[in-house]
Amino acid sequence: MADVTEDLRSGALFYHRNPRPGKIEIQPTKPLGNQRDLALAYTPGVAAACEAIAADPAEAAGLTSRQNLVAVVSNGTAVLGLGNIGPLASKPVMEGKSVLFKKFAGIDVFDIEVAENDVDRLVDVVAALEPTFGGINLEDIKAPECFEVEERLKARMGIPVFHDDQHGTAIIVAAAVVNAMELASKKLADIKVVTSGAGAAALATLNLLVSLGVKRENIWVTDIEGVVYEGRNVLMDRWKEPYAQRTELRTLAEVIESADVFIGLSAGGVLKPEMLQRMAPVPLIMALANPTPEIMPDLARAARPDALICTGRSDFPNQVNNVLCFPYIFRGALDVAASTINEAMKAAAVEAIAGLAREAPSDVVARAYGGEARPFGPDSLIPSPFDPRLILRIAPAVAKAAMETGVARRPLPDLAAYAESLGRFVFRSGFIMKPLFTAAREEPKRVIYAEGEDERVLRAVQAVVEERIARPILIGRPSVVETRLRRFGLSMAIGREFDLINPEDDPRYRDYVATYLEAAGRKGITPDAARTLVRTNSTVIGAIALRRGDADALICGLEGRFQSNLRHISNILGLAPGARQMAAMSLLITSKGAYFLADTHVTAEPTAEELADMTLACAGHVRRFGIEPRIALLSHSDFGSADTASARKMQRALALIQARAPGLVVDGEMAADTALLQTIRDRVNPASTLKGEANVLIMPNLDAANIALQIVKVLADALPVGPILLGPAKPAHILTPSVTARGIVNVTAVAVVEAQTRLPRQDED
């Protein structure tokens, strides 16, 4: 491809070769660790599953991976911008498509490259694969053969068959047209559409636009031979014929007159600046050829400053990228076992994509674009491919349309519950955090954010408002906050969705200074220091507000050191009744489950008594997640295998915990693998009171806890939540500077639920 630099080319080859060739692998989903596992997975146990499916084919959905398995099929005749390079050379592209399915929607894929160009034989090959797959994604098959292949496969197969080059592009283009016409105050029934290109994507786009309300007589198609007109014999086929116009006009330059929409799916440079001058007011220019568009955006903007512009390139706004829709369309179709993907399902996807573009941009989108995410407008007609909410909008809309049109063979009993379940693909914390979000919505509390000018806080607060889990209070200068809200495209306003404490001019300043001196006057804080800190230190301001009852919970830590913030919280808020020391618990959400680690941030060498306090406080917090704690006190020693001070400390802590909370599932001291694997524990100490896998891991010191946290976070690609501060008199949590906006939202839910009902005294657990 012309736009691939030598650096990018060599980097891509290295990427594909290392650390092992290719981009995908197969992973077993069931254990194969012993003879019984083998007997269940294969012979003789597998016969039971085979017999069940033979008796009832619908059982395949519950006994095999079929219902979550899609085939990406190509013969390599129209690959990207590379053309007919053949099936073998197309395999990297098909593997890439497979990765996108898995990454964005959790769909497993086999890429299948078929050495066959004959339509009849290609259709036979693909149709014969139906027992293996829940859906077929046709890819990079040239026109017009692709139309015939898809049409015949849809007629023969009882599973969704979707040619993404056609319909994926069509859906995204249609969403852009819908939003552009809204901005331009034009009705679809009144607009004139002109295309350059009459291949698979262009014709599918036009068919979809007609189904949405664009009039066929207002559509003008051009290709390499010029205008598609009645009576033309060159390069005509039955799919192009419906758009033939009765006209004497023969060129793109002639039919572009008064056009409201130009859709280019052809070749670079075919749309000239002077042609744009003759288009209707506020035209939509979709120059989608890659790598060189039909007209470069800067030239189009110079010729028509009022134009709305989309391209297929990632270095300009409004990129038309098929990943915006195909994973999520299949997700919705597979989850209701749809027999096809019909026009209603595609229209539902268009509506969902267009609607999402009109929502406030998410923090994930902002991070993907270096902190700048555009609100709905001329430069944001369609969502970013990185917007994690795409699956939440598209998949339920597609599933609903499938059910309403009768093609869903396994209708969903509760669409709202289904939509909520899709959060597992957006935020890996979704299921774990759900109980806290549900509880927080029942009784939202006032949460004060110390770093109220930070972009992550502002984006988090937008989500908090939308989730209805708290009433935010920001510490920040009004002018700065308002400027950044506009810059980030957030739809909040001071005093409406959130309140503000202005550190430079708050009427409570003198009262806050007095409160600070009352709390910390005998801890080294002089009146001069108090006056300065209440103007300049946002953690101090937030903690004072919390102490005075102006807020119900505090979140800080995006700036400054953890220990410095902890010192301010300790000085101002003090300890909760029964607590002797503060501690920090961190949640790690991995592909294998959720694990709580303590103490990850506070006490370097906790005593046995402090470990007991910490453990009981952790247990109370863990139960708020709807999880019953199974606690392991960790050590290098395994149930007395080593007589060291550290091991003896953990043994002493266990005795204290069992005396104070005899019903708590806890044991130790034990090694980490013993805590996580029942088989090892049964061998080392069959009498252990801990059964199953431990989910709360209490470490002997700060070094062990923090090192374990960082290693697991990186090696297991785990999602951290927290740290969650244990022991302050009121809910206050100190985050780390690397926290994301979603991480702030998660801790907000933790803080709200904690504020609703403070944890019981630690000796009452």
Side-chain angles (χ1 to χ4, degrees):
M1 295 178 67
D3 64 337
V4 177
T5 64
E6 186 54 39
D7 177 67
L8 184 60
R9 185 184 303 277
S10 62
L13 293 174
F14 181 86
Y15 172 86
H16 282 78
R17 288 191 177 111
N18 297 282
R20 53 183 294 184
K23 298 190 284 285
I24 58 175
E25 66 178 0
I26 296 175
Q27 288 278 5
T29 60
K30 299 295 191 298
L32 287 170
N34 52 50
Q35 183 60 40
R36 177 168 173 77
D37 289 345
L38 185 59
L40 293 171
Y42 196 50
T43 183
V46 71
C50 295
E51 290 168 347
I53 296 170
D56 180 6
E59 285 290 324
L63 293 172
T64 74
S65 62
R66 179 176 185 262
Q67 203 53 51
N68 195 53
L69 187 61
V70 166
V72 171
V73 180
S74 180
N75 63 0
T77 53
V79 178
L80 293 174
L82 303 174
N84 186 355
I85 60 174
L88 184 59
S90 78
K91 188 171 179 62
V93 178
M94 303 313 131
E95 284 190 357
K97 194 84 169 191
S98 305
V99 170
L100 296 177
F101 268 107
K102 186 68 174 180
K103 170 70 175 178
F104 289 101
I107 295 171
D108 297 314
V109 172
F110 291 159
D111 62 291
I112 298 178
E113 294 75 33
V114 183
E116 185 54 72
N117 293 347
D118 179 80
V119 169
D120 292 335
R121 294 181 63 183
L122 181 58
V123 168
D124 287 342
V125 168
V126 179
L129 299 172
E130 183 167 354
T132 303
F133 298 101
I136 303 291
N137 183 93
L138 300 175
E139 193 75 19
D140 292 348
I141 301 171
K142 73 182 183 71
E145 288 89 341
C146 61
F147 300 118
E148 186 76 27
V149 170
E150 184 189 43
E151 185 177 275
R152 289 166 60 177
L153 286 174
K154 290 181 74 170
R156 285 178 60 173
M157 303 181 79
I159 58 176
V161 177
F162 187 82
H163 186 206
D164 184 47
D165 298 331
Q166 291 184 55
H167 308 299
T169 302
I171 287 166
I172 302 161
V173 169
V177 171
V178 167
N179 278 345
M181 295 306 99
E182 178 176 312
L183 284 178
S185 300
K186 299 178 182 180
K187 296 179 179 179
L188 292 180
D190 299 334
I191 63 173
K192 177 181 178 180
V193 177
V194 173
T195 76
S196 174
L203 293 176
T205 297
L206 296 179
N207 292 340
L208 185 54
L209 288 175
V210 169
S211 73
L212 295 175
V214 177
K215 293 181 178 178
R216 194 178 296 267
E217 58 265 29
N218 291 340
I219 295 174
W220 295 75
V221 178
T222 68
D223 60 14
I224 196 169
E225 290 293 326
V227 174
V228 173
Y229 61 90
E230 288 186 4
R232 196 180 99 170
N233 298 316
V234 181
L235 286 182
M236 292 297 290
D237 52 55
R238 65 186 177 93
W239 295 280
K240 202 181 293 185
E241 192 66 44
Y243 295 102
Q245 292 275 13
R246 181 175 298 175
T247 180
E248 297 298 320
L249 304 178
R250 294 293 183 265
T251 67
L252 173 62
E254 292 174 319
V255 298
I256 198 75
E257 183 74 37
S258 301
D260 298 283
V261 178
F262 169 82
I263 300 174
L265 287 157
S266 56
V270 300
L271 184 65
K272 307 302 181 184
E274 57 270 22
M275 296 182 188
L276 271 60
Q277 301 287 354
R278 295 161 46 213
M279 293 184 72
V282 196
L284 171 62
I285 300 165
M286 306 196 74
L288 306 180
N290 251 327
T292 305
E294 284 78 4
I295 186 169
M296 291 298 291
D298 54 341
L299 291 177
R301 181 72 63 209
R304 286 299 299 264
D306 62 333
L308 306 170
I309 305 169
C310 299
T311 73
R313 294 172 49 136
S314 60
D315 52 346
F316 293 104
N318 294 321
Q319 182 196 14
V320 173
N321 187 326
N322 287 17
V323 78
L324 275 165
C325 69
F326 72 81
Y328 317 119
I329 290 172
F330 268 97
R331 182 75 274 158
L334 293 175
D335 288 340
V336 296
S339 59
T340 187
I341 295 173
N342 58 27
E343 293 304 308
M345 295 160 74
K346 288 186 280 187
V350 171
E351 184 178 344
I353 293 169
L356 179 57
R358 296 191 288 269
E359 297 184 29
S362 82
D363 67 290
V364 177
V365 177
R367 289 203 306 274
Y369 288 98
E372 294 290 338
R374 304 176 183 90
F376 177 60
D379 287 336
S380 186
L381 297 173
I382 46 181
S384 158
F386 295 99
D387 197 318
R389 299 167 295 179
L390 284 161
I391 193 170
L392 302 180
R393 305 296 185 269
I394 299 173
V398 168
K400 181 172 183 285
M403 291 190 292
E404 290 176 345
T405 54
V407 299
R409 288 173 296 196
R410 195 173 62 243
L412 297 167
D414 187 339
L415 264 174
Y418 169 65
E420 194 166 326
S421 75
L422 293 171
R424 70 189 185 275
F425 298 114
V426 181
F427 308 114
R428 287 172 293 174
S429 56
F431 284 155
I432 301 298
M433 294 300 301
K434 181 180 176 181
L436 277 80
F437 277 83
T438 300
R441 288 189 197 100
E442 294 177 357
E443 188 185 351
K445 296 294 183 180
R446 301 165 299 166
V447 178
I448 189 166
Y449 299 85
E451 293 85 7
E453 297 176 0
D454 189 281
E455 178 188 352
R456 291 165 295 173
V457 169
L458 293 172
R459 295 191 182 281
V461 167
Q462 176 82 48
V464 165
V465 169
E466 292 173 355
E467 296 269 10
R468 305 185 308 279
I469 61 173
R471 174 69 183 188
I473 305 169
L474 305 185
I475 298 174
R477 295 161 292 178
S479 60
V480 175
V481 170
E482 289 172 345
T483 297
R484 293 184 178 180
L485 288 175
R486 289 193 297 270
R487 181 191 306 168
F488 305 140
L490 302 176
S491 58
M492 304 179 296
I494 298 171
R496 189 177 68 196
E497 284 85 7
F498 67 92
D499 300 311
L500 191 76
I501 291 178
N502 180 2
E504 295 179 342
D505 183 23
D506 191 279
R508 297 164 292 188
Y509 171 71
R510 294 181 182 276
D511 294 335
Y512 275 33
V513 171
T515 299
Y516 192 18
L517 288 171
E518 175 190 327
R522 293 183 178 274
K523 299 174 183 176
I525 300 299
T526 65
D528 285 345
R531 284 190 286 269
T532 299
L533 288 169
V534 174
R535 285 285 193 209
T536 60
N537 191 295
S538 59
T539 297
V540 167
I541 298 169
I544 293 171
L546 185 57
R547 178 185 175 98
R548 287 170 52 86
D550 295 338
D552 301 304
L554 165 66
I555 293 176
C556 63
L558 277 73
E559 297 175 3
R561 295 185 178 276
F562 189 97
Q563 292 298 328
S564 175
N565 285 308
L566 180 66
R567 184 171 61 253
H568 291 310
I569 288 173
S570 179
N571 286 345
I572 296 168
L573 297 179
L575 294 169
R580 281 172 280 203
Q581 176 71 26
M582 292 190 195
M585 176 180 74
S586 294
L587 166 60
L588 286 172
I589 302 171
T590 75
S591 60
K592 293 186 176 181
Y595 302 93
F596 299 84
L597 280 62
D599 170 15
T600 55
H601 287 81
V602 178
T603 305
E605 290 290 343
T607 65
E609 290 74 18
E610 289 169 341
L611 285 168
D613 288 349
M614 176 199 314
T615 301
L616 295 172
C618 284
H621 263 292
V622 170
R623 289 193 180 106
R624 295 184 182 280
F625 289 83
I627 298 173
E628 191 58 32
R630 298 187 301 275
I631 304 170
L633 306 182
L634 298 189
S635 171
H636 71 290
S637 173
D638 234 0
F639 297 106
S641 64
D643 185 21
T644 64
S646 173
R648 290 194 298 272
K649 179 173 70 172
M650 302 308 279
Q651 293 166 5
R652 169 66 179 157
L654 176 65
L656 293 171
I657 295 165
Q658 290 175 331
R660 292 167 60 182
L664 191 63
V665 178
V666 58
D667 206 350
E669 87 293 8
M670 69 180 78
D673 57 350
T674 304
L676 297 173
L677 296 171
Q678 180 75 50
T679 53
I680 295 179
R681 201 177 320 122
D682 288 344
R683 185 172 65 248
V684 174
N685 183 7
S688 173
T689 55
L690 175 63
K691 301 301 178 185
E693 183 181 80
N695 53 25
V696 181
L697 306 175
I698 305 298
M699 308 287 180
N701 57 41
L702 178 62
D703 284 346
N706 195 266
I707 291 169
L709 171 69
Q710 304 303 333
I711 289 176
V712 174
K713 184 169 66 173
V714 174
L715 294 185
D717 191 26
L719 177 70
V721 178
I724 298 167
L725 192 61
L726 311 172
K730 293 190 174 186
H733 299 289
I734 307 168
L735 304 180
T736 58
S738 62
V739 70
T740 64
R742 190 64 196 181
I744 298 171
V745 175
N746 285 336
V747 175
T748 299
V750 171
V752 169
V753 175
E754 186 181 359
Q756 289 172 348
T757 53
R758 287 291 295 179
L759 291 171
R761 287 175 58 93
Q762 294 164 352
D763 56 3
E764 296 174 354
D765 194 284

